[in-house]
Amino acid sequence: MKADTQKEELIVFKDVHKWYTPEFEVLKGITHTIYRGEVSVIIGPSGSGKSTFIRTINALEEYQRGEIIVDGIPLDHNIKNINKIRSKIGMVFQQFNLFPHLSVLHNITLAPIWIRKLSKDEAETRAMELLDRVGVKAQALKYPNQLSGGEQQRVAIARSLAMDPELMLFDEPTSALDPEMIKEVLDVMTELADNNMTLLVVTHELGFAKAVADTVLFFDGGKIVEAAPPDEFFNNPKSDRTKLFLSQILNH
Amino acid sequence: MALELQHDPFKTPREIEHPLLYWVHKNLFSSALNTALTLLSLTILYLLVTKSLIPLFSWDWTVISANLKLILTGSYPMDQLWRVWFCLWYAALFFGLTFSMNRTRPPKVMYLILISILLLALLNFSLFNKVSMLATALLLFVSFFVGTQLAQQKKTIMVAGGWILLLPLSFFIIRGVGGFLPVVKTNLWGGLLLSLLISLTSIFLSLPIGLMLALGRRSSMKVVKSICIFLIETIRGVPLITILFIGYLILPMALPQGWSPSVFIRALTGVVMFHSAYMAEALRGGLQGISRTQYEAATSLNLGPTKTMAFIILPQVLKRMIPVLVNSFTSALKDTSLISIIGMLDLIGISTSIVSNPKYLSGSAQVLFFEGALYFVLCFSISKASMVLEKKLGVTGNIKK
């Protein structure tokens, strides 16, 4: 838990609504603020809008009403603003989404070379540092399909880090992994949190939430039902819906 | 004490005694049905050899040798033939260089080409043509060995540039420009030369044009999308012959006198348009095979639509689509023969006119056979090349035994 001195707003949601058709609304008025350096863990039943919530932040999903401001930049239809915001955000997906036709090293260096205009040498040096940091340096020249799921996910984290993001989004990063590989990915995420990276993590790993989160957000029916520090959230939940959800997943 | 086996334990005594008889019995006459099939196959084989293969050698092939120049280049002026040879030399140069990628010793196919050229040179050709043939072989091998000495990266750029320049350069040399090279009008081009120029151009252009149409059809911009759908569906909905006839007959009527381009340009445009529309749909199928999550990953890295397409999507699509692309290429190569219907003297057109000459009336089978052989060699080379490419890119998907 970090001290709450001089909190800086990084992402501000103001009454954000998203719908595919007026009858099918997935986000029903989200108002929430995420501070720099904070780790937010998002839990909730499937279909509650938690993935959509983090995917709106880097404009993978559009929203229809309300306002999102990332680091002072309004997220609107202006492509310049969207690009500025995307350059601050890294994202890690459930299915890793590595580029299968590129080696691990190329997966990581592609965007730094073409978007951040680093030289090939700079990008590769940096990529090797990152691979070392996530513990898959030895696999640099292999192709994604030659790696285990846990290794692929750590490469995906390194790929995002190579763009020097201020904020990382994790969309169920361990859900597609075998149990013995979950820990190696969570360890990398914990290390990021320890280095004051802002993290938004959609996950079912309550242990991770208890140990690392500053705030736990509970989503249900397209709304944030409860947002609280983990101690309070797990030991003293306020809403009945949260109590029911916790009893269902803790008691089996 | 070592136990020494006298016999292979998996073989019966009869098999060891008479291996050949055993094989024949097991594979050819093991049942009534098998026996019947064996006898049927033998009859067919006998008929094939006696009725087709043996007569082939007794045929009079003068119709080919007397008209070889016509079949290969049409009415292209004799004294300008070196220009066609020049294009061939250029191609040989870059074939050699391409073969030298990731290799230090010439592949079998280069020796095959060398032997074929040496055998051809023994036949009754003019001295100039013999020398030109040998020069082609020489260039192939020289460029291979020079290629092995070059750095890989430099070579890749040279090879790519060389192949992209091949067609524009060939057109430039073969047609000529006033003042520099005497112009040879397109109506003099013919035979294999014309077939190859048109089909290779349509292969090279249909890929980028088809790609633009496919991307346009997937675009979220409604106007672009409708235009692309309109173009693809109209062109694809009409037989190639109709497109060629429209270009041949209707276009000159629709345009003011003297505005209409040459038949060659009209036919070329028709063929290119037709194949682009087909290519567009094939590529669209390939694009749909790429998961949405690949786009999302690229977008989250801020790659932007153009770079995502160029570095992430297209490399995966093209790699997977090699069999489909080769399919289109071979059919483009063969479909070009339809231009003979609008009076162009391509490989098929020129043979029809040769056979209609009373002197060669009896030679139609030979001419057809020769054409078939030429087409087969071309198409087989393309598919063989694609097999090598697939193996190299590791996309065969073969189940390992």
Side-chain angles (χ1 to χ4, degrees), chain B residues 181-195:
Chain B
L181 278 172
V183 173
V184 180
K185 286 203 162 161
T186 50
N187 56 3
L188 295 177
W189 306 6
L192 183 64
L193 173 70
L194 182 66
S195 295

Side-chain angles (χ1 to χ4, degrees), chain A residues 108-162:
Chain A
I108 298 175
T109 56
L110 181 78
I113 288 173
W114 288 95
I115 306 298
R116 298 181 60 208
K117 312 284 179 198
L118 296 188
S119 75
K120 199 175 169 230
D121 286 344
E122 279 176 286
E124 284 182 356
T125 316
R126 175 101 175 91
M128 291 311 282
E129 283 168 21
L130 288 167
L131 283 175
D132 197 22
R133 187 171 164 193
V134 300
V136 278
K137 195 178 177 185
Q139 325 282 0
L141 297 178
K142 289 190 179 166
Y143 281 82
N145 62 5
Q146 296 169 301
L147 269 55
S148 74
E151 287 169 333
Q152 289 192 48
Q153 193 60 297
R154 286 183 282 155
V155 171
I157 295 174
R159 181 175 70 176
S160 295
L161 288 174

